[in-house]
Amino acid sequence: MKRILFIALILSPFWGLAQNVLSQGKISGNFQMDAQYYFQDSAIGAPDVPEKLLVNGFANLLYTNGNFTAGLRYENFLNPMLGYDKRYKGNGISYRFATYKNDNIEVTVGNYYEQFGSGLILRTYENWNLGFDNSLDGLRVKYTPFAGVTVKGVIGRQRFFFEKPQGLVRGADVDVSLNDFISKYKDAKLKITLGGSFVSKFQEDQDPLYKLPANVGAYAGRISMNYGRFDFMGEYAHKINDPSTVNNFIYKDGEALFLNLSYSQKGLGISLSGKRVDNMDFRSDRTQTGNVLNINYLPTISKEHTYSLAAYYPYSTQPNGEMGYQAQIDYKIKKGSFLGGKYGTNITLNFSKVNSIDRKNIDDSTYVSQPGTLGYSSSFFSFGKETYFQDFNLEVGHKFSKKFKMSAMYVNMIYNYAIIQGHLMETGDSLLYGDIAIVDMSFALTENKTLRLEFEHLSTVQDKGNWIMGMAELSIAPKWFFSLTDRWNYGNKDASKQFHYYNVGVAYVHNTSRIALVYGKQVDGVVCVGGVCRAVPASNGVTLTITSSF
Amino acid sequence: MKTISIFLFSIFLSCSLWAQKAEIKEKNYPKVPSVELKDVKGNTINTAKINNDGKPIIISFWALWCKPCQKELSAISDVFDDWVKETGVKLYAVSIDDSRSSSKVKPTAEGKGWEFEILLDVNSDFKRAMNVNMIPHTFILNGKGEIVWQHTSFADGGELELIKVVKKILAGEDVSTEGK
């Protein structure tokens, strides 16, 4: 009650000026509702849903008035849809904040999302499709003392479904753009930005067996450079010993390195990335696993596939250790040339490979990752022998005429099922070798009506064998979308499991509102964003999605 | 806690009623909120300060993992020279790719030959401030920097709607009912 009075007191000046001041403010927001009605289908492995209907939803409201912004998000999981963490069950205000911002300073109280550098030691964000939200609830200050310099300080506790966890997170970050900071380099061709950050978490040690660090600190340094057509970005992060459930309670320090180099000119882009992660799982509760209470973000570097069969075996970051590289070339064959035709041809070539890190036991009496020990030793620059993931893919897109365009893609991948999914395939193998071919064609029927046909084929002798997929989508811009899909597991060695997964869908868009209705069967699989994944079980049902923003 | 939340919620609701009333009276369109983003050259850009010398601006949210977004930007790219000649319009393509792929945004966009201003919203701060839920989501600003039109999703031919709105703005026509 006292708190309410306190807030009322703070807000009272607003009430006094209500009509004048508030009418200058703006309310905006957005919402989404996902509802699925489930049919029984034990044949495809769909879990039984006693509630029949499950609904996830949220609404964001944002109030802005001059330098002041406040917002909140209401969420409901009644009950959580299949594939979302059951601990979301319930509803409430999961996010609320107030921010004051002027040219030099920004202060936020309540929940906020923040990222230091590329996120190797701190990134809080929210992704509805993943059911991921690790926002901090506390205080954040951003300050720009001089042009080109930004200092940030954060403190708070992270979101844990609808509960309050105990762990505290504190951090500071400095970002210096040398060209803005030193005025004589303002127009220099070489642009350099430097950054450094420190993050510490606090969680009491109540472990009966081990003496654990209650405060765990991590630091990172980064540089980004631009020189004409070349760009370089590098970040290194280090974390002190942090025994946890994920790393099997070893006392080894953690490290991560993330490098990107690229060259861009009109019609040609080349990008190279390299990454090493060693024991870098970092969360505000050492006993948690899965996508909860993560403090940092370890991006994967492989391509994020969008076609269904290419995305069926997606890689997810292995925070305990991985080392990999990636290269991509984007090239546009010029308009008017023999291969370019009237509109030009786009070619994208991409390759990525991720291996284990090299691990040696620290002495003869200790096995690798033995709990309560330093775990292992690892040489920073040598790859481990085990392949976690490899992906070679080539995509060619060409517009033949105003009425017809087509793109074709080929993917060759190696997927370490045992490492990524945590167990062997039913066939007893750990590595899956897949070849995927995709053709995507668009026929413009009229100025705003387009028929799109998609054919995909995945061939593999492991796991569930071959798949074929066909899709037809008719769009009537800008409002209507109709689609028909069939995905057939014709290569399953168990003939009784050669299912068809058909889907019929319709979507209607009205400015910023979209209503989509889909009926059909969903394949069990994994949904990933940025290397963070959630498993989705098979299902059979009707899904309704409504989104809007205002 | 619950009571406070309800209390705040009711404040928001009453605010929204006032705000809406005011809008009907004088059609005061929202402006672009202030968020600091990096462009692909490493410069810091404040989104509230983007301008096009009194001409309309298109802001399109996209990502490398979003097929329809790239389809929309490619479709615009094919005719963008004509659009600029006819209307002087400027396009900001705001990538919401996170650090997994943000360093690939520039080479990919250049590789495709796009001639847009490209901004990097690596932790979706601008996306949240603009209430973008699903992408592609496209906004059109009038010459005063006010958001007068927006649309989500893309189907081939949808780009024609965009240039139609831009031309109406230049002709001084009301576009708030466009597409309704």
Side-chain angles (χ1 to χ4, degrees):
Chain A
M1 196 57 214
K2 262 187 195 161
R3 281 201 287 182
I4 297 178
L5 281 174
F6 179 67
I7 288 179
L9 205 66
I10 290 175
L11 288 171
S12 59
F14 284 104
W15 292 116
L17 298 163
Q19 277 292 2
N20 288 334
V21 175
L22 287 177
S23 66
Q24 290 161 19
K26 291 258 190 290
I27 287 280
S28 59
N30 61 76
F31 69 85
Q32 177 165 341
M33 188 202 76
D34 306 307
Q36 192 169 6
Y37 186 88
Y38 298 89
F39 302 118
Q40 276 194 336
D41 196 336
S42 51
I44 60 166
D48 198 27
V49 179
E51 300 96 328
K52 305 274 183 216
L53 177 76
L54 298 173
V55 181
N56 293 359
F58 71 83
N60 276 309
L61 283 176
L62 210 55
Y63 172 74
T64 318
N65 195 338
N67 291 333
F68 178 78
T69 311
L72 61 81
R73 183 169 65 247
Y74 166 85
E75 289 179 4
N76 72 267
F77 295 88
L78 297 168
N79 285 335
M81 290 168 73
L82 285 183
Y84 287 85
D85 199 309
K86 292 262 189 294
R87 290 172 287 183
Y88 271 117
K89 187 172 170 179
N91 52 342
I93 299 205
S94 55
Y95 171 85
R96 72 279 178 276
F97 74 95
T99 295
Y100 174 81
K101 180 180 183 177
N102 65 28
D103 284 343
N104 294 98
I105 198 157
E106 181 181 332
V107 180
T108 302
V109 293
N111 300 84
Y112 53 89
Y113 298 107
E114 180 55 61
Q115 178 173 328
F116 292 169
S118 47
L120 295 181
I121 62 168
L122 183 116
R123 183 188 183 204
T124 63
Y125 68 108
E126 175 265 324
N127 189 299
W128 183 249
N129 289 330
L130 279 182
F132 185 97
D133 183 2
N134 65 343
S135 75
L136 278 162
D137 182 7
L139 175 69
R140 173 178 65 183
V141 180
K142 284 191 206 176
Y143 179 53
T144 306
F146 322 100
V149 179
T150 308
V151 184
K152 295 184 213 172
V154 299
I155 185 163
R157 287 190 292 179
Q158 292 189 282
R159 176 174 184 193
F160 184 68
F161 305 101
F162 291 103
E163 295 161 43
K164 283 263 178 257
Q166 285 309 307
L168 269 181
V169 178
R170 294 81 42 108
D173 181 82
V174 185
D175 193 84
V176 183
S177 161
L178 290 182
N179 302 75
D180 291 332
F181 183 55
I182 306 166
S183 50
K184 73 171 175 183
Y185 296 131
K186 181 102 188 130
D187 298 312
K189 200 178 176 196
L190 176 66
K191 298 210 184 307
I192 300 179
T193 305
L194 299 172
S197 44
F198 179 77
V199 173
S200 152
K201 66 152 177 179
F202 172 78
Q203 184 191 10
E204 274 179 63
D205 172 21
Q206 292 172 329
D207 198 280
L209 191 57
Y210 300 117
K211 188 169 169 10
L212 301 172
N215 287 290
V216 174
Y219 61 85
R222 60 184 185 267
I223 181 169
S224 56
M225 293 192 281
N226 166 261
Y227 185 80
R229 291 169 172 176
F230 290 94
D231 287 271
F232 173 77
M233 190 288 287
E235 181 163 14
Y236 170 80
H238 188 103
K239 181 173 71 109
I240 72 154
N241 72 88
D242 178 21
S244 68
T245 305
V246 170
N247 74 11
N248 206 25
F249 285 92
I250 59 167
Y251 283 79
K252 190 180 186 301
D253 283 9
E255 281 182 307
L257 179 71
F258 187 37
L259 302 169
N260 288 292
L261 176 69
S262 69
Y263 173 85
S264 326
Q265 70 171 63
K266 201 183 172 198
L268 175 66
I270 301 171
S271 107
L272 302 168
S273 318
K275 170 173 99 143
R276 177 182 163 89
V277 169
D278 177 7
N279 190 22
M280 271 305 276
D281 189 77
F282 192 26
R283 32 185 115 214
S284 58
D285 183 343
R286 62 176 82 85
T287 62
Q288 291 294 334
T289 59
N291 296 334
V292 289
L293 297 172
N294 303 77
I295 300 172
N296 66 342
Y297 173 66
L298 301 166
T300 70
I301 47 177
S302 58
K303 184 182 178 113
E304 192 147 9
H305 287 291
T306 46
Y307 290 107
S308 307
L309 293 183
Y312 190 43
Y313 294 108
Y315 185 61
S316 65
T317 302
Q318 302 301 309
N320 282 343
E322 60 173 32
M323 199 158 164
Y325 56 91
Q326 177 274 150
Q328 179 163 315
I329 300 171
D330 287 275
Y331 181 65
K332 180 166 186 169
I333 301 175
K334 275 190 192 140
K335 293 176 190 177
S337 62
F338 175 64
L339 288 170
K342 196 178 167 193
Y343 300 92
T345 299
N346 285 304
I347 299 175
T348 303
L349 186 69
N350 173 280
F351 179 76
S352 59
K353 183 168 176 65
V354 186
N355 270 30
S356 58
I357 54 169
D358 158 65
R359 289 190 178 95
K360 287 190 182 66
N361 39 349
I362 41 172
D363 56 49
D364 291 342
S365 58
T366 314
Y367 60 89
V368 166
S369 291
Q370 184 176 327
T373 70
L374 283 171
Y376 52 88
S377 66
S378 179
S379 141
F380 195 82
F381 293 104
S382 57
F383 282 84
K385 288 194 181 69
E386 194 175 4
T387 298
Y388 284 177
F389 187 72
Q390 182 181 309
D391 178 1
F392 166 85
N393 56 78
L394 172 70
E395 186 171 10
V396 180
H398 184 71
K399 189 167 165 181
F400 289 87
S401 70
K402 269 197 158 175
K403 299 238 182 266
F404 177 55
K405 59 186 169 189
M406 185 172 118
S407 71
M409 190 175 189
Y410 168 73
V411 184
N412 173 282
M413 74 169 53
I414 304 174
Y415 177 88
N416 194 323
Y417 200 100
I419 290 290
I420 300 164
Q421 306 236 4
H423 56 92
L424 295 173
M425 287 173 274
E426 280 174 25
T427 44
D429 304 303
S430 61
L431 288 180
L432 180 137
Y433 297 85
D435 287 287
I436 300 145
I438 297 158
V439 177
D440 182 342
M441 292 177 284
S442 287
F443 304 88
L445 307 175
T446 66
E447 209 169 51
N448 68 338
K449 286 191 196 70
T450 300
L451 176 68
R452 195 166 75 82
L453 300 176
E454 199 179 294
F455 300 100
E456 303 184 32
H457 187 270
L458 162 68
S459 73
T460 177
V461 291
Q462 286 89 23
D463 199 28
K464 291 174 182 156
N466 293 0
W467 290 82
I468 190 163
M469 191 188 119
M471 189 192 79
E473 181 191 70
L474 175 71
S475 62
I476 306 171
K479 287 184 189 298
W480 290 97
F481 297 81
F482 303 91
S483 70
L484 194 66
T485 312
D486 185 24
R487 187 168 154 174
W488 182 25
N489 188 194
Y490 78 95
N492 201 313
K493 285 190 193 90
D494 181 347
S496 69
K497 287 186 176 168
Q498 292 176 356
F499 299 114
H500 283 273
Y501 296 82
Y502 50 82
N503 274 283
V504 189
V506 55
Y508 173 74
V509 179
H510 179 80
N511 291 344
T512 59
S513 302
R514 181 173 178 273
I515 302 172
L517 190 69
V518 178
Y519 165 71
K521 296 184 183 190
Q522 307 295 324
V523 185
D524 66 322
V526 185
V527 174
C528 293
V529 179
V532 177
C533 306
R534 74 179 170 94
V536 185
S539 66
N540 180 352
V542 183
T543 309
L544 174 69
T545 303
I546 303 176
T547 64
S548 187
S549 76
F550 54 90
Chain B
M1 191 56 232
K2 217 174 190 177
T3 15
I4 297 180
S5 308
I6 294 168
F7 187 69
L8 282 174
F9 194 73
S10 59
I11 294 174
F12 275 113
L13 283 183
S14 38
C15 292
S16 76
L17 288 177
W18 276 313
Q20 276 176 4
K21 254 191 209 164
E23 263 175 56
I24 294 162
K25 256 187 241 157
E26 41 192 283
K27 274 240 156 83
N28 63 349
Y29 295 108
K31 291 230 174 190
V32 177
S34 153
V35 176
E36 274 81 29
L37 299 181
K38 293 263 181 189
D39 69 10
V40 287
K41 292 184 193 100
N43 303 310
T44 303
I45 307 284
N46 185 315
T47 53
K49 291 177 183 160
I50 59 173
N51 73 84
N52 186 22
D53 300 325
K55 292 186 189 117
I57 294 174
I58 301 172
I59 299 177
S60 182
F61 282 81
W62 70 290
L64 288 171
W65 44 262
C66 168
K67 278 271 162 202
C69 302
Q70 293 181 48
K71 236 201 248 174
E72 173 167 30
L73 291 172
S74 290
I76 295 173
S77 177
D78 283 345
V79 290
F80 197 59
D81 286 349
D82 296 339
W83 284 17
V84 174
K85 261 180 230 152
E86 286 171 39
T87 64
V89 71
K90 198 168 177 179
L91 193 147
Y92 283 90
V94 181
S95 145
I96 60 164
D97 283 275
D98 67 24
S99 52
R100 172 186 192 168
S101 46
S102 59
S103 63
K104 278 194 223 164
V105 167
K106 183 181 178 182
T108 303
E110 291 251 18
K112 286 181 188 292
W114 293 348
E115 286 173 333
F116 313 131
E117 306 285 329
I118 292 172
L119 302 179
L120 303 172
D121 188 17
V122 289
N123 206 26
S124 294
D125 295 328
F126 190 41
K127 172 180 176 265
R128 267 189 296 280
M130 294 285 274
N131 285 298
V132 169
N133 189 1
M134 287 181 170
I135 57 168
H137 190 131
T138 303
F139 298 84
I140 301 182
L141 317 187
N142 66 14
K144 288 185 268 179
E146 296 165 331
I147 302 166
V148 291
W149 190 87
Q150 51 177 312
H151 184 85
T152 182
S153 85
F154 177 78
D156 288 286
E159 71 278 9
L160 301 170
E161 181 87 1
L162 291 179
I163 191 65
K164 204 164 102 189
V165 172
V166 168
K167 284 178 178 166
K168 280 197 166 184
I169 291 169
L170 283 171
E173 290 172 42
D174 178 21
V175 293
S176 57
T177 53
E178 190 60 45
K180 285 183 184 169

